[in-house]
Amino acid sequence: GEARAAADVHAVAQAAGGGPAAVRAAARAVLDEAARARPPLRLDYLALVDPSDFTEVANDYTGEAVLAVAARVGSTRLIDNLPLTFGTFGAAR
């Protein structure tokens, strides 16, 4: 459980070097796999946003961003976010 979640977060954060499109793809792959688990995860939302105004970031965005996710497993709602930095540093924070 926890080790797998940590590995998934690490995979998504590593994708930050590839930009917002890579992060979205990595997050979607993790969530798609969780949707096939038992019990399945049901995604409410996945958003990659600018933390200053919570607008969705473009694929060429640079600067700080937040990957925000809400989903349900059974009757439990899960909400999490991951701060990331895109641009000259080319790595997740």
Side-chain angles (χ1 to χ4, degrees):
E2 286 184 34
R4 176 56 195 249
D8 291 344
V9 168
H10 181 73
V12 170
Q14 288 298 102
V23 167
R24 286 185 184 99
R28 178 60 66 180
V30 168
L31 295 168
D32 287 349
E33 183 177 336
R36 292 187 295 273
R38 293 290 170 234
L41 178 134
R42 293 185 329 262
L43 184 64
D44 288 341
Y45 65 80
L46 169 66
L48 184 58
V49 298
D50 179 330
S52 68
D53 60 10
F54 286 88
T55 57
E56 192 76 23
V57 301
N59 285 338
D60 61 350
Y61 179 83
T62 59
E64 294 184 3
V66 174
L67 181 65
V69 180
R72 295 180 186 275
V73 177
S75 62
T76 303
R77 188 160 194 236
L78 308 168
I79 301 172
D80 206 354
N81 63 70
L82 177 65
L84 300 166
T85 302
F86 298 100
T88 57
F89 300 108
R93 195 170 60 129

